[in-house]
Amino acid sequence: MNISRDSVLDWLKACASILEESRDYLTELDSAIGDADHGANMDRGFKAVLSKLPEVVAKDIGSIFKTTGMALVSTVGGAAGPLYGTFFLQAGVVAAGKTELAPGDWVASLDAGVKGVINRGKAGPGDKTMLDALLPALEAARAALAGGKTLEQVLSESAAAARKGAEDTIPIVARRGRASYLGERSAGHRDPGATSASMILTAAADVFGKAKG
C-alpha cells in the first residue's frame, strides 16, 4: 500500500483539525516553559495551510509539502515556524514529482524533514525540543521498514515512538530555546514542540494507515 496524494491532503486537514482542538492544551504546555503561544501559532499556521490546499490539489506531493512549508514559515511565529516549515520543505524535496509515496518514500521524506530541523535548529536528542519526538519516530520508522513491516505498521510504530518521545521530555532540563533560560526549573514539564510533533505523526498514522494508495 502506498500513500496517495489525496491521503496527503487529508493528513494536512487532519493536522489542522487536531491542532485547532489542541490549541489550549499546547498553549498551556508552552505557558510553563515558553512564550505561551505554541498552540495559537500552530493553529494559525495550519489554518493558513488549509487555505492553500485548493491551489495544490492536482499537483505532486512535493509541491504540496513545499506549499505547506512556505505557509508555516510565513504564519507561525517563534522558532516553530522556521522549524516546521523547514521540515515540510525538505520532505518536499524527496517527494518532488511523486503523486504517491511508497513506504520507503515516506521514511525518506521523514528523514529529510528531520535532518532539515536539525540543521535549522542546531538541537539534538535530549535537548527538550520537537526533535525528542521526531528522532525516535524516524528511528522506529526505519526499523519497521527494514523489518519488512507494512506501511500501517511503519506509521503506527513511528507515531507510538513520537508519543513516547514527547512524554519522555517531561524530566529533561532544556538545553535549547526559551525553555533553556529556566534551567533546572524546565524539568517536570512536557515540551510543547515535541507534543505537537507527536500529534502530527499520530495523524499520519491515523490517516495513511486507513487509506488505500
Side-chain angles (χ1 to χ4, degrees):
M1 188 177 77
N2 293 338
I3 299 169
S4 69
R5 174 174 55 199
D6 286 348
S7 293
V8 170
L9 295 169
D10 287 343
W11 171 46
L12 295 171
K13 293 172 186 174
C15 289
S17 179
I18 188 67
L19 290 167
E20 180 181 31
E21 293 170 5
S22 305
R23 174 182 172 130
D24 291 346
Y25 173 58
L26 291 172
T27 293
E28 180 184 343
L29 294 180
D30 200 29
S31 67
I33 58 174
D35 293 328
D37 59 2
H38 190 62
N41 279 335
M42 295 302 291
D43 182 30
R44 181 172 60 252
F46 271 85
K47 279 186 168 61
V49 171
L50 282 184
S51 73
K52 296 290 185 182
L53 293 186
E55 302 171 14
V56 295
V57 291
K59 294 189 176 180
D60 65 277
I61 295 171
S63 295
I64 295 171
F65 283 166
K66 180 179 178 182
T67 297
T68 298
M70 292 304 296
L72 295 175
V73 166
S74 62
T75 59
V76 178
L83 292 172
Y84 273 115
T86 297
F87 175 86
F88 279 99
L89 288 169
Q90 292 303 311
V93 172
V94 176
K98 299 179 184 296
T99 55
E100 65 176 25
L101 301 177
D105 295 326
W106 169 254
V107 176
S109 294
L110 182 61
D111 180 62
V114 172
K115 286 178 178 172
V117 171
I118 293 171
N119 290 333
R120 169 70 71 171
K122 310 301 181 189
D127 283 345
K128 202 180 183 86
T129 72
M130 59 194 288
L131 283 171
D132 289 313
L134 292 174
L135 285 168
L138 174 60
E139 183 178 346
R142 283 176 174 157
L145 183 69
K149 296 189 177 181
T150 66
L151 174 63
E152 186 174 9
Q153 291 170 318
V154 170
L155 294 164
S156 176
E157 292 179 19
S158 179
R163 290 192 295 272
K164 184 178 185 303
E167 180 75 15
D168 289 347
T169 62
I170 293 175
I172 294 175
V173 175
R175 295 195 295 252
R176 302 290 299 182
R178 188 172 182 82
S180 66
Y181 302 162
L182 298 176
E184 296 291 333
R185 286 183 292 133
S186 65
H189 303 282
R190 178 192 291 262
D191 182 69
T195 303
S196 61
S198 73
M199 290 175 176
I200 287 170
L201 293 177
T202 296
D206 290 344
V207 173
F208 299 152
K210 296 173 183 173
K212 301 295 182 185

